[in-house]
C-alpha cells in the first residue's frame, strides 16, 4: 500500500510550495520512489520541484474521449501508454500533471478508463504527494479515494481560517477516506491572532505547525528557482521539515 499525502487550501496559501517540501522530506529520509501529482489545473508543482513536462493526463483523456463509444482493449493500452509518457522521471521522484479540467461533453467513459489506469500506475509508487486545487475537483474523480495524510494549508488570518475550515469540512463530504487530517498555518508573521486560535480549537482542527513567512521563499520563486532546493537553514524550510517529521508517519 502506498502512503498518499494530499495538500489542499485556498489559492496562494502555499500548497504547492509545501507539496514540494513534502517531496523533499520524503526523499531525504529515503522514502522513495515518490510520485508528485500536480492536480491543479493551474499547474506549477514542476516549477517548485525544478522539473518541466510537456504532456498531461488530461491530454490523454481528450485523445481518448474522441470516440468514447467503444472502450476496447486498445483504448486501455493507449491510455496506459499516454499515462507513462506523461510521467516525468527524476532521481528520487517522478512528476505527473493532471492538466485541464473536463470540457463539455461526457467524460464518464474516458474517466473510468483513466481512473483504472491511474490506480494501476500509481500503485507502483510507495509514496505519493498530491497538490490539489482549491476546488478539489480532481480529488473526487480521478485521484485517490483514500488518503493517509491530508494537509489543509492556510494563512493565519481570520478570513483565511474561515476558508480553511470550509475545506476542512468539505473533505468529509467528498467520497474519500482520510486517515489523518492536519492544518498548517503558513506565511505567518508575528503572533497568531486569538480569533484564529479560537476557530482552530472550536472545530477542533488538528494544528500540525506554523511556518513563518520567509522572503527567501518568495524571492526564490520570483527568480524562477525551485523552492524545493532552498537550504534547510531557511526558517520556513526548517519549520516545514519539522512538521513533516512529526506527521508523515506510516
Ligand atoms: N512560508 C512562505 N514564506 C514566503 N513566501 C511563501 C511561503 N510559502 C509560500 N510562499 C510564496 O507564496 C506564493 C504562493 O505559494 P504557492 O505554494 O504557489 O501557493 P498555492 O499553491 O496554495 O497557490 C508563492 O510565491 C510562494 O513562493
Ligand atoms: Mg498551487
Amino acid at each position: 500500500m502506498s502512503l498518499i499525502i494530499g495538500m489542499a487550501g485556498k489559492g496562494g496559501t502555499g500548497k504547492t510550495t509545501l507539496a514540494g517540501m513534502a517531496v523533499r522530506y520524503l526523499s531525504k529520509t529515503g522514502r522513495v520512489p515518490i510520485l508528485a501529482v500536480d492536480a491543479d489545473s493551474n499547474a506549477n508543482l514542476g516549477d517548485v520541484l525544478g522539473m518541466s513536462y510537456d504532456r498531461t493526463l488530461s491530454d490523454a483523456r481528450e485523445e481518448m474521449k474522441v470516440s468514447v463509444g467503444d472502450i476496447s482493449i486498445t483504448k486501455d493500452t493507449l491510455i496506459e501508454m499516454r499515462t507513462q509518457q506523461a510521467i516525468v522521471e527524476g532521481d528520487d521522484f517522478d512528476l505527473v500533471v493532471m492538466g485541464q479540467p473536463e470540457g463539455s461533453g461526457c467524460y464518464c467513459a474516458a474517466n473510468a478508463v483513466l481512473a483504472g489506469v491511474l490506480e494501476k500506475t500509481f500503485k507502483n509508487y510507495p509514496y505519493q504527494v498530491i497538490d490539489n486545487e482549491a476546488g478539489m475537483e480532481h480529488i473526487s474523480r480521478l485521484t485517490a479515494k483514500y488518503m493517509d495524510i491530508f494537509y489543509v494549508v492556510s494563512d493565519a488570518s481570520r478570513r483565511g481560517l474561515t476558508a480553511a475550515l470550509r475545506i476542512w469540512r468539505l473533505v468529509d463530504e467528498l467520497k474519500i477516506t482520510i486517515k489523518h487530517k492536519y492544518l498548517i498555518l503558513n506565511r505567518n508573521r508575528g503572533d497568531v491572532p486569538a480569533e484564529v486560535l479560537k476557530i482552530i480549537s472550536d472545530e477542533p482542527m488538528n494544528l500540525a505547525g506554523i511556518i513563518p513567512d520567509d522572503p527567501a521563499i518568495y524571492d526564490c520563486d520570483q527568480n524562477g528557482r525551485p523552492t524545493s532546493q532552498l537550504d534547510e537553514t531557511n526558517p520556513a524550510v526548517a519549520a516545514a521539515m519539522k512538521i513533516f517529521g512529526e506527521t508523515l508517519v506510516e
Side-chain angles (χ1 to χ4, degrees):
M1 276 277 277
S2 310
L3 186 80
I4 306 175
I5 299 145
M7 295 286 166
K10 204 163 65 108
T13 51
K15 293 181 290 296
T16 306
T17 306
L18 291 177
M21 290 187 194
V23 169
R24 172 185 182 151
Y25 175 82
L26 290 170
S27 131
K28 81 167 184 143
T29 52
R31 275 106 137 200
V32 293
I34 309 154
L35 180 65
V37 182
D38 194 337
D40 190 342
S41 52
N42 185 12
N44 56 8
L45 182 58
D47 296 339
V48 163
L49 293 171
M51 280 174 126
S52 57
Y53 64 93
D54 44 36
R55 283 169 183 269
T56 70
L57 291 177
S58 39
D59 297 339
R61 180 171 62 179
E62 288 300 330
E63 190 180 341
M64 267 208 46
K65 187 183 159 245
V66 177
S67 58
V68 279
D70 162 41
I71 303 295
S72 58
I73 302 290
T74 18
K75 285 239 160 132
D76 259 52
T77 313
L78 174 74
I79 196 110
E80 211 162 323
M81 196 174 91
R82 293 288 185 255
T83 302
Q84 285 306 331
Q85 287 169 337
I87 296 178
V88 188
E89 293 184 15
D91 289 336
D92 287 345
F93 58 87
D94 293 352
L95 169 74
V96 71
V97 178
M98 309 286 289
Q100 292 307 305
E102 296 168 10
S104 59
C106 178
Y107 281 80
C108 304
N111 276 341
V113 178
L114 181 56
V117 170
L118 292 187
E119 207 186 318
K120 218 165 95 188
T121 313
F122 285 20
K123 258 195 204 130
N124 297 326
Y125 295 88
Y127 301 93
Q128 296 167 25
V129 178
I130 307 172
D131 181 21
N132 293 292
E133 59 191 340
M136 297 191 295
E137 286 80 0
H138 286 302
I139 284 198
S140 45
R141 256 171 260 138
L142 289 176
T143 53
K145 296 275 180 284
Y146 171 85
M147 277 188 215
D148 293 274
I149 303 163
F150 190 77
Y151 296 103
V152 176
V153 187
S154 175
D155 61 25
S157 70
R158 195 183 57 80
R159 267 168 64 184
L161 244 292
T162 308
L165 184 60
R166 211 164 28 238
I167 295 169
W168 186 269
R169 290 176 176 167
L170 171 73
V171 291
D172 295 334
E173 291 159 27
L174 297 172
K175 291 192 184 80
I176 44 170
T177 311
I178 289 171
K179 206 159 150 196
H180 301 289
K181 187 165 63 164
Y182 295 103
L183 172 71
I184 296 179
L185 293 184
N186 185 29
R187 307 203 66 168
N188 185 56
R189 292 161 197 242
D191 292 333
V192 177
E195 309 88 284
V196 166
L197 293 173
K198 184 167 187 318
I199 298 174
I200 296 171
S201 61
D202 280 355
E203 178 66 9
M205 296 162 103
N206 196 354
L207 179 62
I210 302 172
I211 300 175
D213 187 85
D214 194 290
I217 302 224
Y218 185 81
D219 288 351
C220 191
D221 217 29
Q222 284 300 307
N223 296 317
R225 284 192 297 126
T227 49
S228 60
Q229 281 168 17
L230 268 171
D231 200 89
E232 269 190 50
T233 52
N234 172 284
V237 178
M241 292 301 137
K242 181 164 183 285
I243 289 174
F244 294 133
E246 288 166 358
T247 54
L248 284 189
V249 284
E250 282 150 84

